[in-house]
Amino acid sequence: MTINIKSIWFFCSRVMTLREHNSWVVNVHLQKGGEGKIISASVSGDIRFWDPRFTESVKLINTIQNVQAMDVHQNAGLLACGSANQLISIYNLAGDTLSNIKYYEGFIGQRIGPLNCLAFHPHRVSVLI
């Protein structure tokens, strides 16, 4: 049995260029499971959902400005965006704002430093900053 290496190489090296963001891309996430969408976020605050079969985005969510980090929870259907303005926003995949975590002045207020990265816990619905 002979295998044509050239055809296997061509099949495994499919590359697409997606160009709808107008500013730097902060993070790209590939959903696992049934839908298999690609989720990307840019510094300007737009989150785009891509179907791998098409070159145009299928959904757009406008979030907070000056996004520095974004992560998507695999099982809960949540995404978190953090900005350099000491603000973290939690959204569902429909684009609704569920929670805002921000810096408050005062003695008992939450203290958040400048944000560089954030990540969801792989099993719990917790955000690590």
Side-chain angles (χ1 to χ4, degrees), residues 30-49:
L30 177 62
Q31 282 184 320
K32 296 179 183 173
E35 292 188 22
K37 299 234 187 288
I38 300 168
I39 303 172
S40 62
S42 71
V43 172
S44 63
D46 56 335
I47 296 177
R48 296 188 181 268
F49 291 75

Side-chain angles (χ1 to χ4, degrees), residues 4-50:
N4 189 350
I5 301 297
K6 192 175 193 180
S7 65
I8 290 176
W9 178 81
F10 179 74
F11 178 72
C12 295
S13 67
R14 181 175 173 180
V15 176
M16 292 177 67
T17 304
L18 307 171
R19 299 181 188 231
E20 289 188 27
H21 287 293
N22 294 326
S23 59
W24 292 348
V25 173
V26 174
N27 193 3
V28 177
H29 176 81
L30 177 62
Q31 282 184 320
K32 296 179 183 173
E35 292 188 22
K37 299 234 187 288
I38 300 168
I39 303 172
S40 62
S42 71
V43 172
S44 63
D46 56 335
I47 296 177
R48 296 188 181 268
F49 291 75
W50 308 86

Side-chain angles (χ1 to χ4, degrees), residues 41 45 47 61-73 77-93 95-104 110 112 115 117-120 126-129:
I47 296 177
I61 298 174
N62 289 316
T63 62
I64 56 179
Q65 294 294 317
N66 201 7
V67 173
Q68 297 294 314
M70 185 273 297
D71 194 28
V72 179
H73 194 282
L78 300 174
L79 60 95
C81 292
S83 76
N85 303 331
Q86 300 173 338
L87 172 66
I88 300 166
S89 295
I90 311 292
Y91 302 92
N92 61 9
L93 295 182
D96 303 323
T97 304
L98 301 178
S99 178
N100 286 322
I101 304 167
K102 54 186 164 180
Y103 178 78
Y104 290 102
Q110 299 175 0
I112 300 173
L115 189 69
C117 62
L118 61 87
F120 276 107
S126 300
V127 175
L128 307 171
I129 302 169

